[in-house]
Amino acid sequence: MAIPINIEDLLSKQKVESNRIEFKAGWNPSSIYHSICAFANDIDNLGGGYILVGVEEENGVAVRPVKGLEDNQLDKIQREMLQFNTMMDPIYYPRISVEEIDERKILVIWVTSGHNRPYTVPADVTAKLKKPVFYIRYGTSSIEAKGEDLDRLRDMANRVPYDDRGNENIDIDDISPLLVKNHLASVGSKLAKADFTSDMGKILEQMELLDGPKEKRLVKNVAAMMFAERPEKFFPVSRVEIVVFPEGRENNPDNFIEIPAITGPVPMMIRDTLNYLRTNIIKERVIKPANNEKSIKVYNYPFQSLEEAVVNAL
């Protein structure tokens, strides 16, 4: 997988903070997996980091020309990584990319913030006795998390809900400028007056609908749920299914009507679902008391309750 930044910028520590980059002259799996675990835990929410294997360093600066790795080394490292990745708990798969620089090959390990933080990895992935350890970044080093840092790390578990996570399968072009503009106009936002043809990325940024490091911004799941014309492309079961039992489910469970699935962006699904319920499900009965000129209207279901249930569910 190609890395989202120019390799020269990584080597010179441009556009990415230096504490998010590590140079490794050779393949030292235990040390490298300490850093993979630390970057995946991303305790300071910096966006993960990069490990460049085959690059020597001197006082934090990459030595040029790079040392590089042989082809047989690259193959061996990638095979071993498949095994070591499963030793992390939960299992974590960093992205890897072979890059050519200074007429030599290096391996770039791109570690993004993990969605299932916190992670552990054995202190020595090659040892028979594997003790799981939590690692975090402290400056430019990967250290074992202890005390308050460990408590803080554990507190991150399940803290980022699915809809608020970045999704690398969603592009900004998948988001409908019209749907975003209509939403912003409906809530009275000044952003509705922005130029949606050229400023879409900036608009999504201001709406806090992007995630990830600055060199690789990801569109959050919620953006596609709300503003993609076909969110089912990313979320196959994002739909509403309605089943009607004309005689009641308990009275006659075999007699039912299945309504075609309602799909689309969440606001559209809410609207279409409520329109169907209002038109086809809610029935009104008018009672005229004998001693009162005012009629009494009774409904089989209160619309407000259905509305709250549908909106909360979606």
Side-chain angles (χ1 to χ4, degrees):
M1 176 181 288
I3 57 176
I5 188 171
N6 184 276
I7 185 63
E8 286 287 357
D9 288 337
L10 275 180
L11 287 167
S12 59
K13 295 187 175 180
Q14 298 293 318
K15 299 183 180 179
V16 176
E17 299 88 341
S18 60
N19 59 343
R20 295 180 53 219
I21 302 173
E22 263 196 21
F23 300 129
K24 297 289 186 182
W27 176 238
N28 183 342
S30 290
S31 174
I32 287 172
Y33 267 85
H34 295 175
S35 294
I36 290 175
C37 180
F39 281 134
N41 279 329
D42 195 17
I43 194 168
D44 292 319
N45 289 312
L46 298 177
Y50 301 85
I51 304 168
L52 283 64
V53 186
V55 180
E56 293 180 294
E57 71 167 316
E58 191 173 297
N59 298 322
V61 178
V63 176
R64 305 293 294 270
V66 299
K67 180 180 179 181
L69 298 167
E70 299 298 328
D71 286 339
N72 61 341
Q73 289 179 290
L74 288 166
D75 291 338
K76 178 176 179 289
I77 291 170
Q78 292 179 74
R79 286 196 305 270
E80 289 185 356
M81 286 187 69
L82 290 175
Q83 174 188 355
F84 296 144
N85 292 339
T86 63
M87 295 182 187
M88 292 187 65
D89 186 20
I91 295 175
Y92 179 88
Y93 292 95
R95 282 78 161 172
I96 55 176
S97 177
V98 176
E99 301 286 333
E100 285 198 34
I101 192 75
D102 299 339
E103 299 183 352
R104 296 182 174 103
K105 293 180 180 179
I106 65 172
L107 184 70
V108 178
I109 304 173
W110 175 27
V111 187
T112 59
S113 303
H115 290 155
N116 298 307
R117 296 180 285 180
Y119 294 89
T120 64
V121 74
D124 184 350
V125 293
T126 63
K128 289 185 178 180
L129 182 61
K130 295 178 170 58
K131 174 190 173 185
V133 178
F134 294 94
Y135 289 95
I136 59 172
R137 293 294 286 180
Y138 182 78
T140 57
S141 302
S142 298
I143 64 170
E144 181 179 350
K146 297 180 179 179
E148 291 182 2
D149 286 331
L150 182 56
D151 293 338
R152 183 176 156 210
L153 184 61
R154 284 173 169 158
D155 186 52
M156 300 175 80
N158 300 320
R159 196 171 65 184
V160 181
Y162 178 78
D163 58 340
D164 207 34
R165 298 174 186 173
N167 189 326
E168 62 185 18
N169 296 316
I170 305 171
D171 294 323
I172 288 180
D173 291 341
D174 293 314
I175 307 302
S176 166
L178 180 60
L179 292 176
V180 176
K181 184 179 179 67
N182 289 343
H183 167 75
L184 291 172
S186 69
V187 298
S189 171
K190 292 180 180 179
L191 281 175
K193 298 179 181 179
D195 184 355
F196 284 78
T197 59
S198 61
D199 294 339
M200 194 60 182
K202 293 180 180 178
I203 292 169
L204 294 179
E205 190 78 61
Q206 291 185 66
M207 295 174 69
E208 297 188 357
L209 292 177
L210 299 182
D211 189 29
K214 59 185 178 182
E215 72 274 11
K216 179 64 175 179
R217 300 299 278 157
L218 300 177
V219 179
K220 290 183 179 180
N221 286 318
V222 66
M225 294 174 184
M226 295 287 289
F227 306 122
E229 293 182 351
R230 294 185 60 251
E232 62 271 17
K233 172 183 174 183
F234 312 106
F235 319 107
V237 292
S238 175
R239 62 179 181 243
V240 174
E241 297 178 349
I242 299 176
V243 180
V244 181
F245 295 86
E247 301 174 51
R249 184 175 179 179
E250 292 188 2
N251 293 336
N252 190 351
D254 296 325
N255 180 18
F256 61 87
I257 303 168
E258 289 186 276
I259 310 305
I262 297 172
T263 59
V266 168
M268 185 181 296
M269 284 196 290
I270 291 174
R271 183 195 67 202
D272 292 349
T273 300
L274 293 177
N275 283 343
Y276 182 87
L277 295 176
R278 184 189 289 108
T279 304
N280 300 281
I281 301 301
I282 295 179
K283 305 298 181 183
E284 177 186 276
R285 181 182 178 187
V286 179
I287 302 173
K288 295 185 177 180
N291 301 322
N292 193 329
E293 73 248 8
K294 292 185 178 181
S295 299
I296 300 174
K297 293 182 179 180
V298 180
Y299 298 90
N300 56 345
Y301 296 104
F303 177 75
Q304 290 83 356
S305 296
L306 292 179
E307 181 180 41
E308 184 173 356
V310 170
V311 170
N312 286 345
L314 285 165

